[in-house]
PDB file of all heavy atoms in Angstrom:
ATOM      1  N   LEU A 258      -0.164  35.500 -31.649  1.00  0.00           N
ATOM      2  CA  LEU A 258      -0.326  36.380 -32.751  1.00  0.00           C
ATOM      3  C   LEU A 258      -1.538  35.946 -33.488  1.00  0.00           C
ATOM      4  O   LEU A 258      -1.472  35.006 -34.302  1.00  0.00           O
ATOM      5  CB  LEU A 258       0.900  36.361 -33.639  1.00  0.00           C
ATOM      6  CG  LEU A 258       1.000  37.217 -34.858  1.00  0.00           C
ATOM      7  CD1 LEU A 258       0.788  38.740 -34.487  1.00  0.00           C
ATOM      8  CD2 LEU A 258       2.336  37.041 -35.604  1.00  0.00           C
ATOM      9  N   GLN A 259      -2.734  36.536 -33.271  1.00  0.00           N
ATOM     10  CA  GLN A 259      -3.967  35.937 -33.697  1.00  0.00           C
ATOM     11  C   GLN A 259      -4.898  36.852 -34.412  1.00  0.00           C
ATOM     12  O   GLN A 259      -5.934  37.393 -33.890  1.00  0.00           O
ATOM     13  CB  GLN A 259      -4.672  35.391 -32.311  1.00  0.00           C
ATOM     14  CG  GLN A 259      -5.923  34.620 -32.704  1.00  0.00           C
ATOM     15  CD  GLN A 259      -5.968  33.302 -32.013  1.00  0.00           C
ATOM     16  OE1 GLN A 259      -4.942  32.709 -31.707  1.00  0.00           O
ATOM     17  NE2 GLN A 259      -7.166  32.763 -31.762  1.00  0.00           N
ATOM     18  N   PRO A 260      -4.661  37.154 -35.720  1.00  0.00           N
ATOM     19  CA  PRO A 260      -5.614  37.826 -36.520  1.00  0.00           C
ATOM     20  C   PRO A 260      -6.730  36.924 -36.872  1.00  0.00           C
ATOM     21  O   PRO A 260      -6.443  35.762 -37.286  1.00  0.00           O
ATOM     22  CB  PRO A 260      -4.805  38.333 -37.729  1.00  0.00           C
ATOM     23  CG  PRO A 260      -3.665  37.240 -37.796  1.00  0.00           C
ATOM     24  CD  PRO A 260      -3.380  36.814 -36.415  1.00  0.00           C
ATOM     25  N   THR A 261      -7.969  37.382 -36.811  1.00  0.00           N
ATOM     26  CA  THR A 261      -9.123  36.562 -37.204  1.00  0.00           C
ATOM     27  C   THR A 261     -10.039  37.341 -38.121  1.00  0.00           C
ATOM     28  O   THR A 261     -10.004  38.520 -38.265  1.00  0.00           O
ATOM     29  CB  THR A 261      -9.894  36.074 -35.964  1.00  0.00           C
ATOM     30  OG1 THR A 261     -10.505  37.212 -35.398  1.00  0.00           O
ATOM     31  CG2 THR A 261      -8.976  35.381 -34.956  1.00  0.00           C
ATOM     32  N   ASP A 262     -11.055  36.597 -38.668  1.00  0.00           N
ATOM     33  CA  ASP A 262     -12.115  37.234 -39.445  1.00  0.00           C
ATOM     34  C   ASP A 262     -13.412  37.271 -38.610  1.00  0.00           C
ATOM     35  O   ASP A 262     -14.413  37.657 -39.157  1.00  0.00           O
ATOM     36  CB  ASP A 262     -12.417  36.421 -40.734  1.00  0.00           C
ATOM     37  CG  ASP A 262     -11.381  36.792 -41.836  1.00  0.00           C
ATOM     38  OD1 ASP A 262     -10.650  37.849 -41.651  1.00  0.00           O
ATOM     39  OD2 ASP A 262     -11.294  36.141 -42.862  1.00  0.00           O
ATOM     40  N   THR A 263     -13.262  36.812 -37.357  1.00  0.00           N
ATOM     41  CA  THR A 263     -14.421  36.850 -36.441  1.00  0.00           C
ATOM     42  C   THR A 263     -14.389  37.993 -35.456  1.00  0.00           C
ATOM     43  O   THR A 263     -13.332  38.610 -35.283  1.00  0.00           O
ATOM     44  CB  THR A 263     -14.465  35.539 -35.635  1.00  0.00           C
ATOM     45  OG1 THR A 263     -13.211  35.405 -34.953  1.00  0.00           O
ATOM     46  CG2 THR A 263     -14.694  34.336 -36.488  1.00  0.00           C
ATOM     47  N   THR A 264     -15.497  38.392 -34.956  1.00  0.00           N
ATOM     48  CA  THR A 264     -15.553  39.271 -33.823  1.00  0.00           C
ATOM     49  C   THR A 264     -15.809  38.471 -32.552  1.00  0.00           C
ATOM     50  O   THR A 264     -16.863  37.834 -32.395  1.00  0.00           O
ATOM     51  CB  THR A 264     -16.635  40.327 -33.980  1.00  0.00           C
ATOM     52  OG1 THR A 264     -16.389  41.158 -35.125  1.00  0.00           O
ATOM     53  CG2 THR A 264     -16.711  41.225 -32.776  1.00  0.00           C
ATOM     54  N   GLU A 265     -14.823  38.378 -31.680  1.00  0.00           N
ATOM     55  CA  GLU A 265     -14.978  37.483 -30.492  1.00  0.00           C
ATOM     56  C   GLU A 265     -15.812  38.079 -29.421  1.00  0.00           C
ATOM     57  O   GLU A 265     -15.794  39.323 -29.259  1.00  0.00           O
ATOM     58  CB  GLU A 265     -13.513  37.123 -29.989  1.00  0.00           C
ATOM     59  CG  GLU A 265     -12.598  36.464 -30.966  1.00  0.00           C
ATOM     60  CD  GLU A 265     -13.167  35.031 -31.308  1.00  0.00           C
ATOM     61  OE1 GLU A 265     -13.791  34.473 -30.498  1.00  0.00           O
ATOM     62  OE2 GLU A 265     -12.879  34.638 -32.508  1.00  0.00           O
ATOM     63  N   ASN A 266     -16.469  37.289 -28.682  1.00  0.00           N
ATOM     64  CA  ASN A 266     -17.366  37.739 -27.587  1.00  0.00           C
ATOM     65  C   ASN A 266     -16.500  37.951 -26.336  1.00  0.00           C
ATOM     66  O   ASN A 266     -16.389  39.115 -25.888  1.00  0.00           O
ATOM     67  CB  ASN A 266     -18.430  36.682 -27.338  1.00  0.00           C
ATOM     68  CG  ASN A 266     -19.338  37.018 -26.260  1.00  0.00           C
ATOM     69  OD1 ASN A 266     -19.288  38.023 -25.630  1.00  0.00           O
ATOM     70  ND2 ASN A 266     -20.225  36.109 -25.981  1.00  0.00           N
ATOM     71  N   TRP A 267     -16.032  36.893 -25.667  1.00  0.00           N
ATOM     72  CA  TRP A 267     -15.316  36.981 -24.504  1.00  0.00           C
ATOM     73  C   TRP A 267     -14.315  35.802 -24.572  1.00  0.00           C
ATOM     74  O   TRP A 267     -14.454  34.720 -23.954  1.00  0.00           O
ATOM     75  CB  TRP A 267     -16.230  36.830 -23.289  1.00  0.00           C
ATOM     76  CG  TRP A 267     -15.562  37.159 -21.929  1.00  0.00           C
ATOM     77  CD1 TRP A 267     -15.442  36.338 -20.836  1.00  0.00           C
ATOM     78  CD2 TRP A 267     -15.081  38.445 -21.522  1.00  0.00           C
ATOM     79  NE1 TRP A 267     -14.892  37.012 -19.749  1.00  0.00           N
ATOM     80  CE2 TRP A 267     -14.635  38.317 -20.198  1.00  0.00           C
ATOM     81  CE3 TRP A 267     -14.944  39.675 -22.133  1.00  0.00           C
ATOM     82  CZ2 TRP A 267     -14.076  39.394 -19.484  1.00  0.00           C
ATOM     83  CZ3 TRP A 267     -14.371  40.717 -21.392  1.00  0.00           C
ATOM     84  CH2 TRP A 267     -13.946  40.586 -20.155  1.00  0.00           C
ATOM     85  N   PRO A 268     -13.226  35.974 -25.323  1.00  0.00           N
ATOM     86  CA  PRO A 268     -12.436  34.824 -25.816  1.00  0.00           C
ATOM     87  C   PRO A 268     -11.673  34.174 -24.612  1.00  0.00           C
ATOM     88  O   PRO A 268     -10.904  34.787 -23.902  1.00  0.00           O
ATOM     89  CB  PRO A 268     -11.374  35.459 -26.752  1.00  0.00           C
ATOM     90  CG  PRO A 268     -11.472  36.966 -26.449  1.00  0.00           C
ATOM     91  CD  PRO A 268     -12.833  37.256 -26.009  1.00  0.00           C
ATOM     92  N   ARG A 269     -11.950  32.890 -24.454  1.00  0.00           N
ATOM     93  CA  ARG A 269     -11.347  32.097 -23.419  1.00  0.00           C
ATOM     94  C   ARG A 269      -9.881  32.023 -23.458  1.00  0.00           C
ATOM     95  O   ARG A 269      -9.183  31.942 -22.544  1.00  0.00           O
ATOM     96  CB  ARG A 269     -11.965  30.712 -23.414  1.00  0.00           C
ATOM     97  CG  ARG A 269     -11.935  29.971 -22.083  1.00  0.00           C
ATOM     98  CD  ARG A 269     -12.886  30.533 -21.180  1.00  0.00           C
ATOM     99  NE  ARG A 269     -12.760  29.985 -19.845  1.00  0.00           N
ATOM    100  CZ  ARG A 269     -13.191  30.560 -18.751  1.00  0.00           C
ATOM    101  NH1 ARG A 269     -13.910  31.675 -18.859  1.00  0.00           N
ATOM    102  NH2 ARG A 269     -13.078  30.028 -17.551  1.00  0.00           N
TER     103      ARG A 269
END
Side-chain angles (χ1 to χ4, degrees):
L258 184 58
Q259 186 129 336
T261 71
D262 283 344
T263 55
T264 298
E265 299 296 329
N266 177 5
W267 194 241
R269 202 72 188 163

